[in-house]
């Protein structure tokens, strides 16, 4: 559950995002990816689709958190 994951992790400003941080999408939050740097993220968009690394728009990110 991506929304619960966001609520239980430390939020960081998107301008401070580092590789390994989690990126959250949609209102309400319903998707999460892992930032790998350089405007790219690791993403498993839905069951049955392979995990991929691709670019994203910061405009679509509704939250960033740092696990740990």
């Amino acid at each position: 559950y991506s929304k619960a994951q966001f609520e239980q992790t430390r939020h960081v400003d998107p301008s401070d995002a580092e590789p390994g941080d989690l990126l959250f999408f949609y209102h309400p939050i319903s998707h999460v990816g892992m930032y790998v740097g350089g405007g790219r993220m690791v993403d498993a968009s839905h069951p049955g689709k392979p995990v991929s690394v691709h670019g994203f728009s910061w405009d679509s990110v509704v939250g960033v958190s740092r696990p740990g």
Side-chain angles (χ1 to χ4, degrees), residues 17-63:
E18 298 177 355
D21 287 347
L22 301 176
L23 307 175
F24 295 87
F25 299 87
Y26 308 117
H27 288 287
I29 291 173
S30 58
H31 187 70
V32 61
M34 185 176 67
Y35 186 54
V36 295
R40 298 177 63 76
M41 65 182 266
V42 174
D43 185 39
S45 61
H46 60 273
K49 185 172 181 184
V51 173
S52 64
V53 177
H54 57 83
F56 65 93
S57 168
W58 282 106
D59 291 339
S60 63
V61 175
V62 299

Side-chain angles (χ1 to χ4, degrees), residues 5-12 21 64-68:
Q5 193 172 17
F6 180 68
E7 291 171 351
Q8 296 177 19
T9 52
R10 183 170 59 98
H11 301 172
V12 297
D21 287 347
V64 179
S65 73
R66 186 161 297 149

